[in-house]
Amino acid sequence: MEAPGAAAAPSPGAAKRKVMVVAEPGRESAGALQWALTHAVLEQDEIILLYVDLPNPSRRGPFSAFLRRPPPGAAVDPPGGGGGGGLEFLDEMKGMCLKAQPRVAVQVLRVEMEDNDKVSTIVSQTKALAIDLLVIGQSRRPSFLGGRLGGGTSSKNMSMDMVEYLIENSRCLCVGVQKKGQNAGYLLNTKTHKNFWLLA
């Protein structure tokens, strides 16, 4: 049985795909990226590491220009790394990509959360960038994205885990990845595959 989102061997003239990995500090996100690099990404693909930042409260005041924060949708790709601001993990994740898949184009994208809703922000980015595959780390806790759904969602969805919501409602294929120990493989979830065990 083929693993959800697994990459086939590249063929001549194969279409380029955009693979988005939700970037967060922590092992869940790192495990999701590791799975994507070893099981889903082909050398002609493009990897987009998406980090959703909190809304900028300083926009209400006159001093916002002094903050070193890129505007929403701005790519963060420092030539020598060193993102700073507690976001060094983005440089580390980009380094993982370049080491594992040196021929794959990698973009780090830092966007501001829209309407205090992280899920909607991720969904809107997948649509705007025409993403083919969305990969997101999944933990045993309710959600590593910061809790359960809220703001602008129906009561039916309020109790749904954020990762599960993305899996069920993303237009592109969304894979939830839970890394099971160092060499124990991955537990994968998609709309059609639930708790699919994949050896490392």
Side-chain angles (χ1 to χ4, degrees):
M1 186 176 183
E2 186 178 357
S11 58
K16 172 184 176 181
R17 300 177 309 157
K18 291 184 178 180
V19 179
M20 176 176 281
V21 179
V22 178
E24 290 283 325
R27 60 185 177 183
E28 292 91 352
S29 186
L33 178 60
Q34 187 177 39
W35 172 83
L37 292 170
T38 55
H39 292 85
V41 175
L42 302 175
E43 64 179 27
Q44 74 269 12
D45 295 338
E46 178 183 0
I47 299 174
I48 299 172
L49 302 175
L50 176 70
Y51 174 70
V52 181
D53 208 349
L54 294 174
N56 186 353
S58 64
R59 286 188 171 186
R60 304 170 190 165
F63 302 108
S64 59
F66 292 94
L67 290 182
R68 296 179 180 178
R69 173 173 294 192
V76 180
D77 273 321
L87 300 180
E88 292 83 2
F89 70 92
L90 291 173
D91 292 333
E92 294 174 4
M93 293 181 76
K94 182 177 180 181
M96 285 175 60
C97 296
L98 297 176
K99 182 177 180 180
Q101 295 275 10
R103 296 185 180 182
V104 173
V106 182
Q107 177 186 170
V108 179
L109 187 64
R110 180 180 173 187
V111 299
E112 188 174 296
M113 191 187 303
E114 303 169 2
D115 300 321
N116 204 34
D117 190 333
K118 203 166 201 173
V119 171
S120 295
T121 305
I122 295 171
V123 171
S124 67
Q125 289 296 317
T126 63
K127 293 177 182 178
L129 299 173
I131 297 300
D132 298 291
L133 173 63
L134 175 65
V135 182
I136 184 167
Q138 193 167 20
S139 70
R140 296 177 184 177
R141 298 184 295 277
S143 174
F144 80 96
L145 286 174
R148 296 185 179 273
L149 289 172
T153 59
S154 67
S155 58
K156 178 180 179 182
N157 292 330
M158 283 291 286
S159 61
M160 186 183 294
D161 179 91
M162 281 182 155
V163 178
E164 288 298 324
Y165 182 86
L166 288 169
I167 290 172
E168 294 297 327
N169 294 277
S170 297
R171 289 186 180 179
C172 63
L173 173 64
C174 178
V175 181
V177 180
Q178 185 181 140
K179 192 172 185 343
K180 306 295 286 185
Q182 188 63 30
N183 298 304
Y186 304 90
L187 196 63
L188 308 178
N189 284 286
T190 70
K191 189 178 289 188
T192 56
H193 294 75
K194 301 299 179 183
N195 296 322
F196 183 93
W197 190 275
L198 179 67
L199 295 177

